Amino acid sequence: RKEVEQDPGPFNVPEGATVAFNCTYSNSASQSFFWYRQDCRKEPKLLMSVYSSGNEDGRFTAQLNRASQYISLLIRDSKLSDSATYLCVVSPLRYIFGTGTRLKVLA
Amino acid sequence: GAGVSQSPSNKVTEKGKDVELRCDPISGHTALYWYRQSLGQGLEFLIYFQGNSAPDKSGLPSDRFSAERTGGSVSTLTIQRTQQEDSAVYLCASSLLGTGWDTGELFFGEGSRLTVL
């Protein structure tokens, strides 16, 4: 089993839609969780950290479920500019990246 | 510059040759990471340097791969006797503090694209 697993997608959604991604992790000792965004042929950039109580940043909401060992990312009111690959990152001893979920927002 | 700098940005080499990839992290960042990303794939961890501690080399795929970090700053990733399966984008990232600190943010360079013919 991979340490961090994501549905690769692609998720094709219309503008304005709400879309959610999940990510599961295998190491129960993991302490830090993040979502990164990677545009085509670009380097990954931090989107948001994921806190135990859940956190929100504008249209983006991240949740952590330690009991089931998954994190989620919810994007509301999708914009064309949200089209990218979203990488789940889990840190037990080092940063482990998932393979990413590709999102395409359609006009 | 203010960001992580990597060189070369593109490298084409012949199978069997050695290559060196360089990473210049953000000044003051104590932690430095190397990842590689094959086409359409996720990031594969290679090696992690944290301050003066022994590096975490657990992700290096074979003994043809090695890395060093001189003076706690610049790092060089060396691949000896390159193979076609080594073709990938090699990404370097730095962070202010290392794993275990809730900083979260890895700052990535633009990567070195390696093609082995």
Side-chain angles (χ1 to χ4, degrees):
Chain A
R1 182 185 171 188
K2 287 184 181 177
E3 291 182 273
V4 179
E5 293 203 62
Q6 294 183 252
D7 180 344
F11 284 60
N12 295 323
V13 302
E15 264 187 298
T18 295
V19 62
F21 309 135
N22 280 343
C23 164
T24 58
Y25 61 94
S26 60
N27 189 333
S28 59
S30 300
Q31 293 296 320
S32 302
F33 309 89
F34 316 95
W35 285 101
Y36 275 70
R37 170 190 168 133
Q38 186 174 26
D39 292 294
C40 188
R41 291 184 168 263
K42 296 286 191 181
E43 72 274 20
K45 293 185 179 177
L46 179 67
L47 178 65
M48 60 196 301
S49 301
V50 186
Y51 301 121
S52 297
S53 54
N55 49 300
E56 191 174 304
D57 183 1
R59 298 182 293 108
F60 299 84
T61 300
Q63 298 275 355
L64 167 64
N65 185 318
R66 286 190 184 273
S68 301
Q69 294 183 202
Y70 77 83
I71 67 174
S72 64
L73 177 68
L74 182 79
I75 306 174
R76 291 181 299 278
D77 188 24
S78 300
K79 311 290 185 192
L80 294 175
S81 57
D82 294 334
S83 298
T85 296
Y86 291 84
L87 301 164
C88 166
V89 184
V90 174
S91 177
L93 296 177
R94 60 184 186 274
Y95 294 106
I96 302 171
F97 284 74
T99 52
T101 298
R102 203 148 55 92
L103 171 66
K104 189 166 185 180
V105 181
L106 307 171
Chain B
V4 177
S5 178
Q6 290 189 247
S7 61
S9 54
N10 275 288
K11 175 73 176 178
V12 180
T13 190
E14 292 179 348
K15 179 181 171 181
K17 301 281 189 184
D18 296 353
V19 296
E20 280 191 357
L21 307 176
R22 176 189 166 107
C23 173
D24 206 336
I26 293 173
S27 178
H29 280 195
T30 64
L32 186 148
Y33 311 78
W34 282 98
Y35 291 85
R36 75 175 174 183
Q37 187 172 33
S38 301
L39 191 62
Q41 303 297 310
L43 273 70
E44 177 187 2
F45 167 78
L46 297 177
I47 188 168
Y48 161 49
F49 296 90
Q50 171 56 50
N52 295 321
S53 303
D56 176 356
K57 304 180 182 181
S58 58
L60 294 178
S62 77
D63 59 8
R64 296 186 296 105
F65 288 73
S66 62
E68 62 178 23
R69 188 178 184 193
T70 53
S73 181
V74 171
S75 177
T76 302
L77 176 69
T78 301
I79 309 172
Q80 295 177 308
R81 304 181 303 282
T82 52
Q83 304 294 312
Q84 288 182 329
E85 61 263 29
D86 298 335
S87 297
V89 176
Y90 289 81
L91 289 160
C92 175
S94 70
S95 67
L96 184 59
L97 299 171
T99 308
W101 299 90
D102 191 18
T103 63
E105 188 150 19
L106 291 179
F107 293 86
F108 283 86
E110 294 186 347
S112 292
R113 183 175 299 276
L114 175 66
T115 303
V116 182
L117 302 177

